[in-house]
Amino acid sequence: MWLGPEEVLLAGALWVTERANPFFLLQRRRGHGKGGGLTGLLVGTLDVVLDSSARVAPYRILHQTQDSQVYWAVACGSSRKEITKHWEWLENNLLQTLSIFDNEEDITTFVKGKIHGIIAEENKNEQPQSEEDPGKFKEAELKMRKQFGMPEVEKLVNYYSCSYWKGRVPRQGWLYLTVNHLCFYSFLLGKEVTLVIQWVDVTQLEKNATLLFPECIKVSTRDSELYFSMFLNINETFKLMEQLANIAMRQLLDNESFLQDKSLPKPRKPLKNISALKRDLDARAKNECYRATFRLPKDECLDGHTDCTLWTPFNKMHIPGQMFVSNNYICFASKAEEACHLIIPLREVTIVEKADSSSVLPSPLSISTKSKMTFFFANLKDRDFLVQRISDFLQRTPSKKPCSSDREWKWNLADPGCEEVPELPSSSPLAVSPMSALSNRPVSFCAGEVPTASQGLLKLFRRNSEELLGPKGAKEKMKEESWNIHFFEYGRGMCMYRTAKTRELVQKGIPENLRGELWLLFSGAWNEMVTHPDYYADLVEKSMGKYNLATEEIERDLHRSMPEHPAFQNELGIAALRRVLTAYAFRNPTIGYCQAMNIVTSVLLLYCNEEEAFWLLVALCERMLPDYYNTRVVGALVDQGIFEELTREYLPQLSEKMQDLGVISTISLSWFLTLFLSVMPFESAVVIVDCFFYEGIKFILQVSLAILDANMEKLLQCCDEGEAMTILGRYLDNVVNRQSVSPPIPHLHALLTSGDDPPLEIDIFELIKTSYEKFSNLKADDIEQMRFKQRLKVIQSLEDTAKKSVVRAVSSDIGFSIEELEELYVVFKAKYLMSCYWGNNRAAAARRDQSLPYLEQYRIDMEQFKELFISLTPWSCGAHTPVLAGRLFRLLDENRDSLINFKEFVTGMSGMYHGDLTEKLKVLYKLHLPPALNPEETESALEATSYFTEDVTTEVSPFVSELDFCLHCESQETQEDKGRRDENGPEKEEKGTSPQDYRYYLRMWAKEKESKKETIKDLPKMSQEQFIELCKTLYNMFSEDPVEQELYHAIATVASLLLRIGEVGKKFSNRPMRKSEDCKANNTQDPVSEEESPTSEQSQNSAVEQQPQADHEDKTCGDAQPEKTQQENQTLGDGSGEGQGSPLQLLSDDETKDDMSMSSYSMVSTGSLQCEDIADDTVLVGCEGSSSAARYGSTIDTDWSISFEQILASMLTETALVNYFEKKVNILQKIKDQKKVERQFSSSSDYELSSVSG
């Protein structure tokens, strides 16, 4: 590449000049290329350690003038080819021009100008691709691709100088962090270290300091632990590694692939040595933190933030903090935690104006909203730019008012006693059962049949109002009054100032009338509801009446959702719950429906209307409890790991006991998934939900710790898990809410008592107060950090479980050991994942469906299979290997979707590695019959034969005519198509109806179990061109074998013998076929039964074999094919069965010919085989058959065929062939070699390598 001319003082230091002319020098770096000696080793080490640009470019061109001591570097190259191209350009285009100049300064000025012009021209063409990546970074990326064999699509994110500890010796080198890999390279005094690790293989990332290692980063995989230290900025490196590993885990979890975010704001100044991807990742991290802090929608992107102060009218102070501006919101967070948080949606903003500056309030800015609130910010550094950005965003904010959602908050202080629900007569649509007695599908509820719950169900189903008049009612009124005062001082709605006072009020319990409103505010669900008017109604309309696995599960759980509450003992509540859950399942099919969602949603519906409950469910599932409600409850398992870690930290004496009992894994899932709603009395659990919506998962963890702490003494004395669960269950059953105005709802959790002692009641507010006193120092940021660490462990653990499940599922039918299957699974999965991020299109990622069984989730296409086959097969056939791989893929791909799963893959591999000679030959035999063999492939045999036999005087067979040949082709195609339709039609139809229906998989499983083992009698016969293809494969297979000459001799003998057997069999089959023509003229034959039925020609054989075959002949007469000519009779007959007990079994063809075959010549001559496929020194024996070849020549011979038994019997006569196929090959060694090959870096100029294994 051309370089902007840089001054070089010592042209000879560490460089060797290879070419020179009066104006330019072409130099090679010492130690690169041939020789080098000690100097080369030292230079190589210096280049790696110091990261000189020469390390990237081993060649360079310098500009010089005769009298000057200064040199200018004008070009560099990573290969001789590249640098030679530049050198030739300079010689051809500049030398003559430069000789005209008299002044050396003019020459240098001209050269520099010319080079700058070339660079500008190149940049103009390349600018759209990588305009942000600086030159040095591009050099490092180029080096990375070459060093580790990465393709163009693998992008470098950043690179760092560090040491890798190999044993106790640090190796100084460079750590390259790419989107999918962690790579390290070091070269010290001739010793090279190259590491390549896929992020998806990382099980743990830790930053720690020990006596042995100074401050270092530990990277753990399943196989090894790697230590890196001596970073210039270890925190930045570790943070970036965490982000990349997290992206890889997301890919394993839900197939989300990393894509550069083009919508992110571009930096105003290009950052030195920072790639666009690094900028993108940093922005992503800030966005996630911003959204989590202020509970904003998932598509909100932070534009920027700045320090400022906010005037808080409630305490008359200017609070220092930071202002954050994004597309739709202005937010403020105080520096002192809990002092003040503020969220101003731009849709609410009416005026933004700059106020007059003063010494007290420099650069003030006032923002007014529709709710008549005004916010004063001051001490803004770049106020004018900020106002401009806010104005730009305001112009993009839709001005139209959302219809029903943008309403004023209702005070909800009307007497709830006047809101009653009329009694429902039995004939009312509300009384209809959700499941029809005659159908297993849910009854569809139209809008007119069942009214929508337009307000919280609790108001509709409040059974009495006595509690509202007593002391509890008074307490409730006091709470409402406290909140009204708070609203007056701090504002109401989304723009409320959120302070420590707000949290105190939440801890005391939210009044029932305000619960729905405040849940929506604190969770951020209100923002999404307001900005998506009518979204829920449209979703309900689309999903109504639809039926899938999710709706079936929803229907099953509807009546288990708080059945003790009157709201869910009638159709109004049940129908509302059905609509909300079904709408969410259609919004997010990845989650669909998960148990526990029904319990949480039923509580949301008690306090909110349907639309509000739906958006609260969205906030829960997608933001506040990420990954909790997917099929593998990953999020809950992650937080369970955090809970175990916190127990070790805060309750160390209890932690070990809990681990021994295995209690934490049992309790935490039920506590976290349902937010204590399923394990605590409803009135108490709902207070937990209040605090959860304000604080997030931090509160659930601290309450869980408080519960364990309260029961520590009893738990330490437990003997088993059951006793511990009883203690905790009894404790939670007796957590009461004495302030609740709702009538107590019977708690269906097991009521556990201990002897005669009355249970001790625990006040929920005391429990909450204790949790804050003892465990309030938990920080949301720390929990997010712990979540990342636990997510690595959980997902890798789930992947290991999946691997074991798959291996266990296939091990019974496959010859490989468990260890071999596990290694094959790792290789298979790695190949699939590479296609996700290195494939030209991202179709591979779309192929993985998380709802499918583990066995079906990873599937590979033909190209990936070929790569695996070439590296793992024991039958290496040189250039012919990809052809064989393609045939095996077609054979394994039974459902013809061009993808195979792991079971199909190992079935194919097992056929080559395990079993006796017969089983291995059977696989090889099948690879040369349809569907494995393409019709196009057999044409090459036809062309070859006609070429080798064209000089022989041919005599056309009297049995073949052009018409017969055409009829044969048509009928063959028709039968083949029909056979395929019959074979695949029902399965594809069945699969297409409902791909996620578990009953489909049960039926498929039953079908697999019923399938009979195939015998050699079931194999169809092989036509002549198929046999030639088999011979070609065998000759290719034996090349480079230690005993290849013996093998060539053996296969030549066997091939000659089999050709003669085919000829003899043809003679025996011709006459009987002619005689039986009339008998079959009016009958039809079913193509499906062709492979099982011998033809009527067997009736012409000796009386000895007529009797045992009588039953078969009866069947054949009914199933025979109608034929008009003798040739059609021969071509359309079956070629599969071999007459049992026939004395002419090895010498005759007693059955009709293979219906899929079309022979290319009547007899393969020795000469044709020898010329095309066999080495010059191979001797073919048994050449007597060549006379018949001369007689028939290259005519299409449709009579010739050979059976598997005949091939097997012939092979058994040759010891060399038997030894070859019975030779044991270690597949584990092949897998190890394959990984080594994939890790080797490419030295080619384009730096492409098919794959790099982690």
Side-chain angles (χ1 to χ4, degrees):
M1 58 188 276
W2 297 105
L3 299 174
E6 296 174 2
E7 196 172 311
V8 178
L9 293 176
L10 295 171
L14 310 180
W15 291 85
V16 179
T17 301
E18 293 198 335
R19 291 192 188 181
N21 62 41
F23 302 106
F24 297 101
L25 299 175
L26 190 156
Q27 296 187 326
R28 171 177 56 81
R29 186 75 164 170
R30 287 183 192 275
H32 185 86
K34 301 173 189 173
L38 181 61
T39 314
L41 288 179
L42 288 169
V43 173
T45 303
L46 280 172
D47 287 345
V48 170
V49 174
L50 301 177
D51 186 35
S52 63
S53 59
R55 181 176 66 86
V56 178
Y59 297 95
R60 70 179 183 183
I61 296 175
L62 300 181
H63 164 63
Q64 62 160 5
T65 51
Q66 289 179 351
D67 299 332
S68 173
Q69 296 299 312
V70 179
Y71 296 81
W72 299 86
V74 295
C76 67
S78 56
S79 66
R80 190 178 293 277
K81 183 180 175 183
E82 183 186 358
I83 205 71
T84 304
K85 184 180 170 187
H86 289 334
W87 178 262
E88 288 172 353
W89 188 91
L90 290 170
E91 284 193 326
N92 296 335
N93 294 280
L94 284 190
L95 277 187
Q96 283 188 333
T97 311
L98 295 179
S99 59
I100 300 169
F101 288 95
D102 296 328
N103 190 336
E104 289 186 356
E105 285 184 15
D106 292 345
I107 293 174
T108 302
T109 306
F110 179 81
V111 168
K112 286 163 73 175
K114 190 70 179 172
I115 299 298
H116 279 302
I118 295 169
I119 292 170
E121 187 66 29
E122 281 184 353
N123 288 347
K124 189 174 73 176
N125 298 332
E126 293 179 6
Q127 200 167 10
Q129 295 173 356
S130 53
E131 56 186 350
E132 292 178 31
D133 290 352
K136 191 172 179 184
F137 189 88
K138 281 164 78 175
E139 286 180 5
E141 188 166 45
L142 195 70
K143 176 69 179 175
M144 177 273 296
R145 291 208 188 106
K146 183 181 178 186
Q147 197 72 60
F148 304 104
M150 301 286 179
E152 285 286 335
V153 291
E154 184 69 357
K155 300 293 184 188
L156 179 65
V157 179
N158 214 349
Y159 63 107
Y160 301 94
S161 171
C162 69
S163 291
Y164 161 61
W165 290 80
K166 194 169 183 183
R168 296 196 174 191
V169 181
R171 302 273 180 172
Q172 183 66 27
W174 289 86
L175 183 72
Y176 297 88
L177 304 181
T178 73
V179 171
N180 301 298
H181 295 83
L182 176 152
C183 307
F184 176 83
Y185 179 76
S186 169
F187 180 85
L188 285 173
L189 300 177
K191 291 193 176 178
E192 192 174 51
V193 176
T194 305
L195 292 174
V196 178
I197 298 165
Q198 285 185 338
W199 289 118
V200 290
D201 290 334
V202 173
T203 55
Q204 195 174 5
L205 273 178
E206 283 184 298
K207 184 176 66 174
N208 52 25
T210 62
L211 289 173
L212 180 61
F213 303 114
E215 193 175 29
C216 68
I217 294 173
K218 175 185 167 187
V219 181
S220 303
T221 65
R222 289 179 180 81
D223 308 321
S224 58
E225 292 182 350
L226 310 172
Y227 292 88
F228 300 94
S229 66
M230 301 186 193
F231 289 93
L232 196 62
N233 188 342
I234 192 167
N235 291 327
E236 180 196 325
T237 311
F238 185 70
K239 187 178 173 186
L240 182 56
M241 289 166 84
E242 276 191 331
Q243 286 177 292
L244 292 167
N246 211 11
I247 288 167
M249 291 307 107
R250 300 291 325 172
Q251 188 184 28
L252 282 179
L253 179 61
D254 57 15
N255 243 11
E256 179 190 287
S257 52
F258 177 82
L259 294 171
Q260 189 174 345
D261 195 341
K262 304 294 182 191
S263 64
L264 292 172
K266 301 278 188 291
R268 273 171 278 175
K269 297 176 189 172
L271 301 168
K272 191 181 178 186
N273 293 340
I274 294 293
S275 69
L277 287 177
K278 175 72 170 67
R279 182 263 308 173
D280 188 29
L281 278 170
D282 290 344
R284 279 177 179 228
K286 286 178 182 174
N287 279 335
E288 283 169 14
C289 182
Y290 169 63
R291 290 193 291 260
T293 304
F294 299 104
R295 306 269 168 83
L296 299 177
K298 290 183 82 172
D299 56 353
E300 196 63 24
C301 289
L302 177 65
D303 187 69
H305 58 90
T306 181
D307 291 337
C308 67
T309 57
L310 171 67
W311 169 253
T312 49
F314 51 86
N315 60 1
K316 309 289 189 291
M317 286 177 67
H318 291 280
I319 299 179
Q322 281 193 317
M323 177 195 281
F324 301 84
V325 179
S326 60
N327 310 20
N328 301 295
Y329 298 90
I330 299 170
C331 301
F332 175 85
S334 58
K335 287 186 178 173
E337 195 179 2
E338 294 295 326
C340 183
H341 269 214
L342 180 65
I343 302 167
I344 308 170
L346 291 182
R347 63 177 182 272
E348 296 287 326
V349 173
T350 53
I351 300 170
V352 178
E353 59 181 351
K354 294 182 276 190
D356 294 334
S357 290
S358 67
S359 56
V360 183
L361 275 182
S363 307
L365 179 70
S366 80
I367 299 174
S368 303
T369 65
K370 294 174 184 173
S371 55
K372 306 291 186 287
M373 291 180 75
T374 302
F375 303 95
F376 286 101
F377 297 92
N379 293 288
L380 292 159
K381 289 180 183 172
D382 199 347
R383 184 177 63 167
D384 293 343
F385 177 75
L386 181 67
V387 170
Q388 184 58 48
R389 292 301 289 165
I390 294 173
S391 301
D392 293 345
F393 288 134
L394 278 170
Q395 284 173 1
R396 295 179 213 161
T397 305
S399 57
K400 67 171 186 174
K401 209 175 178 183
C403 42
S404 60
S405 299
D406 196 18
R407 56 175 171 78
E408 290 288 322
W409 289 109
K410 294 179 181 175
W411 289 87
N412 293 330
L413 295 177
D415 182 9
C418 64
E419 295 172 330
E420 295 179 1
V421 180
E423 277 193 331
L424 303 173
S426 59
S427 60
S428 163
L430 300 184
V432 177
S433 166
M435 297 293 287
S436 167
L438 300 174
S439 167
N440 65 344
R441 287 179 178 252
V443 177
S444 62
F445 293 97
C446 302
E449 290 180 33
V450 179
T452 305
S454 57
Q455 54 186 318
L457 293 173
L458 200 63
K459 293 175 187 170
L460 301 176
F461 291 94
R462 189 170 280 151
R463 288 179 295 188
N464 57 57
S465 55
E466 292 172 11
E467 297 286 355
L468 295 173
L469 305 175
K472 288 185 179 179
K475 182 80 175 173
E476 186 78 357
K477 290 282 184 191
M478 284 172 62
K479 281 187 188 176
E480 286 183 6
E481 193 55 39
S482 299
W483 275 99
N484 289 335
I485 293 167
H486 185 274
F487 291 148
F488 180 77
E489 288 185 10
Y490 296 85
R492 188 169 190 172
M494 192 49 70
C495 300
M496 174 171 62
Y497 294 97
R498 300 168 199 213
T499 65
K501 175 74 173 169
T502 315
R503 189 176 73 177
E504 283 173 27
L505 284 175
V506 172
Q507 285 172 31
K508 291 174 183 173
I510 298 174
E512 289 193 349
N513 286 331
L514 296 173
R515 196 159 259 147
E517 171 187 338
L518 292 174
W519 283 0
L520 285 162
L521 278 183
F522 296 148
S523 66
W526 178 250
N527 285 321
E528 291 185 282
M529 188 172 77
V530 171
T531 51
H532 296 84
D534 303 325
Y535 177 86
Y536 172 70
D538 293 343
L539 210 52
V540 169
E541 196 176 328
K542 286 176 192 170
S543 63
M544 195 60 72
K546 300 281 175 63
Y547 179 74
N548 58 24
L549 191 58
T551 57
E552 191 175 306
E553 290 177 344
I554 289 168
E555 212 56 52
R556 194 172 59 236
D557 284 351
L558 282 177
H559 293 274
R560 303 176 191 170
S561 311
M562 295 191 68
E564 66 274 17
H565 198 287
F568 299 100
Q569 291 168 0
N570 75 84
E571 197 49 48
L572 179 63
I574 293 292
L577 184 58
R578 177 188 292 114
R579 282 191 290 269
V580 173
L581 290 173
T582 307
Y584 186 77
F586 274 79
R587 167 189 164 87
N588 190 344
T590 310
I591 292 176
Y593 170 76
C594 173
Q595 281 189 329
M597 283 170 71
N598 59 320
I599 296 170
V600 175
T601 309
S602 57
V603 173
L604 299 179
L605 280 166
L606 290 175
Y607 297 99
C608 308
N609 66 34
E610 278 185 40
E611 186 179 14
E612 292 166 347
F614 169 80
W615 286 111
L616 276 170
L617 185 63
V618 169
L620 265 178
C621 295
E622 296 174 16
R623 287 187 284 109
M624 299 189 74
L625 297 175
D627 306 321
Y628 260 60
Y629 299 105
N630 58 26
T631 48
R632 299 191 280 179
V633 292
V634 173
L637 292 172
V638 167
D639 287 346
Q640 174 186 302
I642 294 174
F643 184 43
E644 289 179 11
E645 204 173 319
L646 292 173
T647 308
R648 279 195 296 275
E649 184 181 339
Y650 289 100
L651 308 169
Q653 65 273 46
L654 185 59
S655 172
E656 196 174 331
K657 181 75 174 177
M658 296 293 277
Q659 288 294 332
D660 294 342
L661 296 175
V663 174
I664 286 186
S665 57
T666 311
I667 58 173
S668 51
L669 279 181
S670 59
W671 293 3
F672 297 166
L673 275 170
T674 63
L675 304 174
F676 288 95
L677 288 165
S678 64
V679 294
M680 216 182 251
F682 168 72
E683 312 83 50
S684 306
V686 82
V687 181
I688 300 272
V689 178
D690 290 343
C691 297
F692 165 73
F693 276 123
Y694 188 78
E695 295 273 15
I697 192 64
K698 161 183 175 291
F699 177 75
I700 299 293
L701 289 167
Q702 75 183 34
V703 166
S704 302
L705 288 170
I707 292 168
L708 290 187
D709 185 49
N711 291 279
M712 187 186 296
E713 289 181 15
K714 292 178 184 175
L715 288 171
L716 286 171
Q717 294 167 12
C718 288
C719 302
D720 56 34
E721 182 187 2
E723 191 180 347
M725 293 298 296
T726 305
I727 288 167
L728 291 170
R730 187 186 305 123
Y731 178 87
L732 290 168
D733 272 342
N734 292 292
V735 175
V736 297
N737 179 2
R738 298 190 181 94
Q739 299 176 14
S740 174
V741 291
S742 295
I745 296 166
H747 182 45
L748 295 188
H749 191 257
L751 293 169
L752 304 159
T753 56
S754 174
D756 300 326
D757 298 333
L760 182 68
E761 290 188 341
I762 303 98
D763 186 75
I764 182 64
F765 297 106
E766 283 300 316
L767 177 63
I768 290 172
K769 185 180 174 187
T770 306
S771 77
Y772 273 103
E773 286 171 355
K774 292 190 174 182
F775 308 108
S776 62
N777 54 349
L778 283 177
K779 299 283 184 290
D781 291 347
D782 296 340
I783 289 171
E784 280 307 312
Q785 186 72 26
M786 292 161 83
R787 267 182 169 170
F788 160 74
K789 185 178 169 185
Q790 292 297 330
R791 193 177 292 123
L792 281 181
K793 281 186 189 172
V794 168
I795 292 178
Q796 295 293 13
S797 168
L798 288 171
E799 289 295 309
D800 288 343
T801 306
K803 178 172 74 175
K804 286 173 185 167
S805 301
V806 170
V807 167
R808 196 165 53 245
V810 303
S811 58
S812 56
D813 308 326
I814 306 293
F816 290 116
S817 67
I818 296 292
E819 184 190 2
E820 288 169 339
L821 283 171
E822 286 184 347
E823 287 295 323
L824 282 169
Y825 181 82
V826 169
V827 171
F828 184 86
K829 179 178 146 189
K831 187 61 66 179
Y832 164 82
L833 289 172
M834 278 173 202
S835 72
C836 291
Y837 50 73
W838 281 358
N840 293 331
N841 52 18
R842 300 272 168 159
R847 292 200 291 261
R848 187 177 176 208
D849 184 351
Q850 292 279 350
S851 64
L852 291 174
Y854 286 135
L855 188 59
E856 294 287 333
Q857 286 191 11
Y858 295 117
R859 296 185 294 165
I860 59 174
D861 59 25
M862 186 181 282
E863 288 308 311
Q864 295 162 292
F865 177 78
K866 280 182 180 177
E867 290 169 15
L868 285 177
F869 181 89
I870 289 166
S871 57
L872 298 177
T873 180
W875 298 342
S876 181
C877 302
H880 193 63
T881 309
V883 177
L884 204 62
R887 289 177 190 167
L888 182 57
F889 184 87
R890 286 191 289 273
L891 185 66
L892 296 172
D893 183 21
E894 291 179 4
N895 61 356
R896 303 285 176 270
D897 63 350
S898 301
L899 296 169
I900 61 169
N901 62 27
F902 179 68
K903 184 173 183 179
E904 291 164 336
F905 169 70
V906 290
T907 302
M909 285 289 148
S910 182
M912 296 184 287
Y913 275 93
H914 296 286
D916 54 14
L917 171 73
T918 308
E919 291 299 315
K920 290 179 179 176
L921 281 178
K922 198 195 287 184
V923 172
L924 200 57
Y925 185 83
K926 284 184 187 173
L927 292 181
H928 297 83
L929 295 173
L933 191 72
N934 268 345
E936 295 81 20
E937 291 179 307
T938 57
E939 286 174 14
S940 62
L942 173 62
E943 290 166 12
T945 311
S946 51
Y947 170 76
F948 285 118
T949 55
E950 64 186 357
D951 295 335
V952 183
T953 308
T954 61
E955 183 181 327
V956 177
S957 168
F959 304 118
V960 181
S961 70
E962 283 188 23
L963 176 63
D964 291 337
F965 176 55
C966 294
L967 284 169
H968 165 77
C969 292
E970 288 172 14
S971 59
Q972 177 189 340
E973 187 178 334
T974 309
Q975 279 197 359
E976 187 175 333
D977 290 347
K978 186 177 176 186
R980 281 187 182 166
R981 276 199 304 274
D982 291 347
E983 182 185 349
N984 298 326
E987 182 182 320
K988 287 204 175 176
E989 256 179 55
E990 184 179 43
K991 194 168 180 180
T993 52
S994 179
Q996 296 185 354
D997 187 353
Y998 62 90
R999 289 174 296 190
Y1000 162 73
Y1001 295 106
L1002 286 174
R1003 284 195 292 272
M1004 291 296 293
W1005 177 75
K1007 201 183 289 181
E1008 280 178 18
K1009 292 290 176 192
E1010 287 169 13
S1011 60
K1012 295 173 185 173
K1013 191 163 184 183
E1014 185 182 49
T1015 66
I1016 56 176
K1017 295 282 183 190
D1018 299 327
L1019 293 171
K1021 286 199 165 191
M1022 185 175 269
S1023 69
Q1024 213 173 57
E1025 65 269 73
Q1026 291 164 354
F1027 176 67
I1028 297 306
E1029 284 294 327
L1030 175 61
C1031 291
K1032 282 172 68 176
T1033 300
L1034 287 167
Y1035 285 122
N1036 282 307
M1037 199 184 290
F1038 299 150
S1039 65
E1040 298 181 17
D1041 194 273
V1043 290
E1044 72 176 322
Q1045 289 308 314
E1046 290 177 43
L1047 289 167
Y1048 281 156
H1049 186 85
I1051 195 60
T1053 307
V1054 168
S1056 300
L1057 176 61
L1058 287 168
L1059 288 167
R1060 291 205 304 279
I1061 289 172
E1063 280 299 309
V1064 174
K1066 186 175 68 173
K1067 290 173 187 174
F1068 276 84
S1069 64
N1070 281 344
R1071 271 170 312 200
M1073 290 292 288
R1074 281 198 300 274
K1075 287 179 185 176
S1076 63
E1077 181 184 353
D1078 296 331
C1079 143
K1080 288 195 244 176
N1082 297 319
N1083 295 327
T1084 58
Q1085 183 176 7
D1086 180 5
V1088 176
S1089 63
E1090 283 177 5
E1091 293 190 3
E1092 300 164 5
S1093 56
T1095 59
S1096 60
E1097 66 176 80
Q1098 288 172 324
S1099 62
Q1100 308 299 324
N1101 288 340
S1102 64
V1104 179
E1105 61 179 322
Q1106 265 182 346
Q1107 203 166 355
Q1109 299 294 333
D1111 294 337
H1112 279 242
E1113 283 191 337
D1114 291 342
K1115 182 178 174 187
T1116 307
C1117 280
D1119 293 345
Q1121 177 87 12
E1123 306 199 34
K1124 292 188 175 67
T1125 67
Q1126 177 181 324
Q1127 180 59 34
E1128 284 175 82
N1129 182 30
Q1130 291 172 349
T1131 56
L1132 293 177
D1134 177 47
S1136 64
E1138 187 68 24
Q1140 294 182 7
S1142 168
L1144 301 171
Q1145 190 168 352
L1146 292 174
L1147 297 173
S1148 67
D1149 278 338
D1150 292 337
E1151 294 79 26
T1152 47
K1153 303 303 164 277
D1154 180 11
D1155 64 312
M1156 307 292 265
S1157 67
M1158 183 179 71
S1159 183
S1160 58
Y1161 36 66
S1162 62
M1163 171 64 189
V1164 182
S1165 68
T1166 307
S1168 70
L1169 267 175
Q1170 189 172 3
C1171 294
E1172 183 178 357
D1173 297 310
I1174 310 174
D1176 296 336
D1177 52 356
T1178 304
V1179 179
L1180 268 179
V1181 297
C1183 299
E1184 297 86 358
S1186 59
S1187 58
S1188 55
R1191 191 184 62 195
Y1192 284 86
S1194 60
T1195 310
I1196 302 297
D1197 185 354
T1198 54
D1199 295 343
W1200 196 100
S1201 69
I1202 202 87
S1203 71
F1204 177 72
E1205 293 103 311
Q1206 292 165 335
I1207 292 177
L1208 176 60
S1210 306
M1211 289 270 201
L1212 288 170
T1213 62
E1214 294 292 333
T1215 312
L1217 293 177
V1218 173
N1219 291 341
Y1220 179 85
F1221 282 103
E1222 290 192 341
K1223 182 174 60 181
K1224 297 288 181 190
V1225 183
N1226 184 1
I1227 194 166
L1228 290 175
Q1229 188 58 45
K1230 287 260 184 190
I1231 292 170
K1232 199 173 174 184
D1233 294 343
Q1234 185 242 8
K1235 287 182 178 177
K1236 279 183 186 172
V1237 168
E1238 289 196 333
R1239 284 172 192 240
Q1240 285 176 356
F1241 60 86
S1242 164
S1243 57
S1244 59
S1245 58
D1246 57 359
Y1247 318 127
E1248 292 284 347
L1249 195 74
S1250 61
S1251 56
V1252 174
S1253 170

